Structures are given as structure tokens and as C-alpha cells.
Amino acid sequence: MSKSKTQSTSRSYRRVAAAVDAVCAVAADSDATSLDEVVHAVSLERKREIEITSANLGPGVCGQRRFYPERDIIVLADALPSRDHTLAHELGHIVFDHEGAPAVETTLEVSDDLIAYMLSQRAHAQIVDDGADDLAEWEAETFAAMLMTRLRVFANRGAGVSVLRFDEALG
């Protein structure tokens, strides 16, 4: 069972909203308004590379965050109904520093069937444990929804630092 580094043990919309505000501040400093640009800005702020790639993931798996000693990789399933939402969800895991299972370079050489089986076993364990991993998933999902809403507002009102800073000023 993996443990989350999440300090909180209960669901907190304020905690998630604060994280979204922090990410939007980083985005404003980098003039990033698209989600891919936001991920890059977060990567620069953390001084830790975040690579985005796609792969044929197991059934029911939309995305994964793979943690390596020197970087994070967000892997998105090849065919997604909402790429951006899944990307935002995985970014949420990174922002909250949710600890998952560290990936080893050799994991990339394992067959897709084995990875899908291992993930299904982990998913089953999460359901049974219903603990820190459940909170981590809730935080990542709530973060994704809030961040995507903020980015849609920015897109509808015009892009750029001025919109991000205006929204920050209004809270």
C-alpha cells in the first residue's frame, strides 16, 4: 500500500482552491494560459521536469503519474474523451505531492498486460483500504475540475497575465 504525503486527513475544498490559486499564480508569472503551458510553468517553478507522453494504457486507465528520482512523467491514454481533464488530474497529484508507487526505468519495458494487471490490483487495494489514496484521488479530481474551470474562464475573457492577475486580485 502506498501512502500519501498529504498532510490533511480530510477533504478540504479550501486546500484544493489554495493549490489552484498557487498554480494560477505560477501560470500568470509565465504568461501560461493553456494547460500544457501551465504544466510547463509548474515544472519550471518546481525545478523538476514534468514530461507529458501518451501510451496504450490498460482498460479503464486514463492516465498515470510516474515518479522518477529526477523527473515526473504524466502518461495519458492514447484515446481519451477529455485529455485536458486527465492531464489536470495527474498534475493535481504532482502539485499535492501525492506519493504513488515510484516507477523504475525497467517498468517501461514490462508488457502492457502486466502493467494493466498491476494497476487493477492496486485499484482494488485502494477500494478496500479507502484511506489516503482515496483522499489523494479526491484532491486530484477536485483540483482538475477547479483548474479547468479557471482556465475556461481565462479563455473566454481573453488570455494573458492581466486576466490571471485580475482574477487573483478579486480572489
Side-chain angles (χ1 to χ4, degrees):
M1 181 175 111
S2 65
K3 293 191 178 189
S4 174
K5 293 180 184 176
T6 305
Q7 298 299 317
S8 173
T9 57
S10 63
R11 295 177 179 189
S12 169
Y13 285 100
R14 283 189 183 127
R15 174 177 153 81
V16 176
V20 170
D21 287 345
V23 166
C24 287
V26 168
D29 290 342
S30 298
D31 201 19
T33 54
S34 75
L35 186 55
D36 285 271
E37 291 171 344
V38 170
V39 171
H40 181 70
V42 170
S43 175
L44 293 174
E45 179 73 17
R46 296 173 67 232
K47 296 177 178 64
R48 181 175 167 82
E49 181 184 1
I50 302 173
E51 180 183 332
I52 303 168
T53 188
S54 62
N56 184 10
L57 298 175
V61 180
C62 295
Q64 298 174 335
R65 173 210 182 186
R66 294 181 181 168
F67 174 85
Y68 295 88
E70 71 285 351
R71 71 186 189 283
D72 291 294
I73 298 178
I74 295 175
V75 183
L76 302 173
D78 286 330
L80 284 174
S82 177
R83 176 195 182 273
D84 282 354
H85 184 84
T86 302
L87 178 56
H89 176 97
E90 298 305 326
L91 178 62
H93 284 304
I94 291 171
V95 167
F96 284 106
D97 200 20
H98 293 150
E99 186 176 303
V104 185
E105 291 292 340
T106 55
T107 303
L108 297 176
E109 298 173 12
V110 175
S111 75
D112 290 339
D113 290 338
L114 180 57
I115 291 172
Y117 171 76
M118 290 167 49
L119 288 172
S120 69
Q121 292 299 99
R122 182 169 186 262
H124 176 71
Q126 285 177 348
I127 291 167
V128 171
D129 293 338
D130 198 30
D133 285 337
D134 183 52
L135 176 60
E137 288 303 315
W138 178 86
E139 284 180 334
E141 191 60 25
T142 305
F143 173 88
M146 287 182 176
L147 180 60
M148 294 307 297
T149 298
R150 291 278 293 271
L151 290 177
R152 275 191 300 276
V153 168
F154 299 154
N156 290 335
R157 292 176 48 207
V161 173
S162 60
V163 172
L164 293 166
R165 290 294 182 214
F166 181 73
D167 284 347
E168 276 182 4
L170 294 178

